[in-house]
C-alpha cells in the first residue's frame, strides 16, 4: 500500500520515488492526476484529504513529505470516498452517514 512515483526516460525506468504509505488500497480513497496524488487519511473521527504535488517531488526530492497539504473534509469514521472532476477544479465527496446505513451525503 505504498504509493510510488516512477520517472521513466527512454527505454527503462530512471527513478522510483516512494511517496507515501496509503491507509487504504480502496481506489475511492486515492486518485492521481497530472498535478499529483490525492489521498484520504483519518485522525480520530476526522477525515483528511491530502495532496502530494508531483512538481515538488521532481524539483526538490529531499522535501517529499514536507510538501503534502491537508484539508479537513468531514467527521466520519465509516466510509469516505472521493473522485476528481475531469476539469480539475471540482471534487466529488461521498460520505456515509452511518455505519449501519446505506444513506450517503454527496457534496460536489
Amino acid at each position: 500500500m505504498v504509493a510510488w512515483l516512477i520517472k521513466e526516460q527512454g527505454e527503462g525506468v530512471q527513478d522510483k520515488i516512494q511517496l507515501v504509505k496509503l491507509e487504504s488500497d480502496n481506489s475511492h480513497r486515492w486518485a492521481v492526476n497530472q498535478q499529483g496524488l490525492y489521498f484520504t487519511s483519518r485522525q480520530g473521527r476526522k477525515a483528511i484529504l491530502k495532496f502530494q504535488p508531483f512538481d515538488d517531488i521532481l524539483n526538490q526530492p529531499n522535501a517529499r513529505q514536507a510538501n503534502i497539504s491537508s484539508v479537513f473534509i468531514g467527521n466520519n469514521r465509516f466510509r469516505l470516498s472521493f473522485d476528481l472532476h475531469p476539469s480539475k477544479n471540482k471534487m466529488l465527496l461521498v460520505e456515509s452517514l452511518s455505519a449501519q446505513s446505506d444513506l450517503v451525503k454527496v457534496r460536489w
Side-chain angles (χ1 to χ4, degrees):
M1 296 197 335
V2 174
W4 297 88
L5 177 63
I6 299 174
K7 298 187 319 184
E8 295 183 28
Q9 185 176 47
E11 296 179 19
V13 173
Q14 177 190 4
D15 198 6
K16 181 177 172 183
I17 301 168
Q18 182 175 343
L19 298 177
V20 295
K21 183 171 181 172
L22 300 173
E23 291 183 16
S24 172
D25 61 354
N26 183 327
S27 62
H28 297 290
R29 299 270 315 273
W30 59 271
V32 175
N33 66 14
Q34 293 293 334
Q35 283 72 43
L37 171 68
Y38 296 81
F39 60 101
T40 60
S41 69
R42 290 192 170 92
Q43 296 174 356
R45 288 188 51 87
K46 293 181 181 179
I48 309 293
L49 178 69
K50 297 184 176 187
F51 173 65
Q52 171 66 70
F54 291 150
D55 285 345
D56 290 353
I57 295 168
L58 297 173
N59 296 330
Q60 304 168 9
N62 296 330
R64 289 180 201 140
Q65 294 295 320
N67 295 324
I68 295 176
S69 55
S70 302
V71 64
F72 170 75
I73 55 175
N75 272 326
N76 192 302
R77 294 188 331 170
F78 310 116
R79 283 179 278 162
L80 181 70
S81 302
F82 74 95
D83 197 8
L84 302 175
H85 191 275
S87 70
K88 300 177 188 157
N89 63 359
K90 295 180 187 178
M91 178 179 293
L92 174 70
L93 296 172
V94 179
E95 177 181 1
S96 172
L97 297 180
S98 170
Q100 303 296 322
S101 172
D102 290 337
L103 294 175
V104 295
K105 178 179 180 180
V106 178
R107 291 183 278 161
W108 188 261

